Amino acid sequence: MGPVDPAQVSWRKSSRSDNAAENCVEVAEFDTCSAVRDTKQQGRGPILAFTRSEWAAFVEGVKLGEFDPR
C-alpha cells in the first residue's frame, strides 16, 4: 500500500460486527488494496492491508464457513 492518509478514506463497519462494539472491525477500499482496522482503536491502531486477491480469498472463505468454530 502506498502512502495514503487513512483519515481521508471512507471506512465502513463490517456487517459481521456485533452491536456491543466488542468485536467490531472496519474495512476500507483503496486503489490497490483493502484494509481492516479495529473500530475500538478509533483510527489510532494498526491497519492490516491486503491485496485484492488476498481479500477476495478471505471473503470467500468467510462465506464458505472456513473460519467458523467447529
Side-chain angles (χ1 to χ4, degrees), residues 42-61:
Q42 300 175 344
R44 295 184 303 266
I47 295 172
L48 303 176
F50 301 93
T51 65
R52 295 282 187 200
S53 61
E54 289 170 334
W55 187 249
F58 171 72
V59 170
E60 186 64 21

Side-chain angles (χ1 to χ4, degrees), residues 57 60-68 70:
E60 186 64 21
V62 170
K63 289 178 181 178
L64 294 174
E66 292 180 11
F67 309 108
D68 292 348
R70 305 222 181 255

Side-chain angles (χ1 to χ4, degrees), residues 1-28:
M1 179 165 90
V4 175
D5 182 359
Q8 301 301 317
V9 178
S10 176
W11 292 87
R12 70 181 191 284
K13 188 174 173 181
S14 169
S15 61
R16 297 279 185 164
S17 294
D18 65 22
N19 290 329
E22 295 176 11
N23 298 309
C24 298
V25 294
E26 297 173 316
V27 179

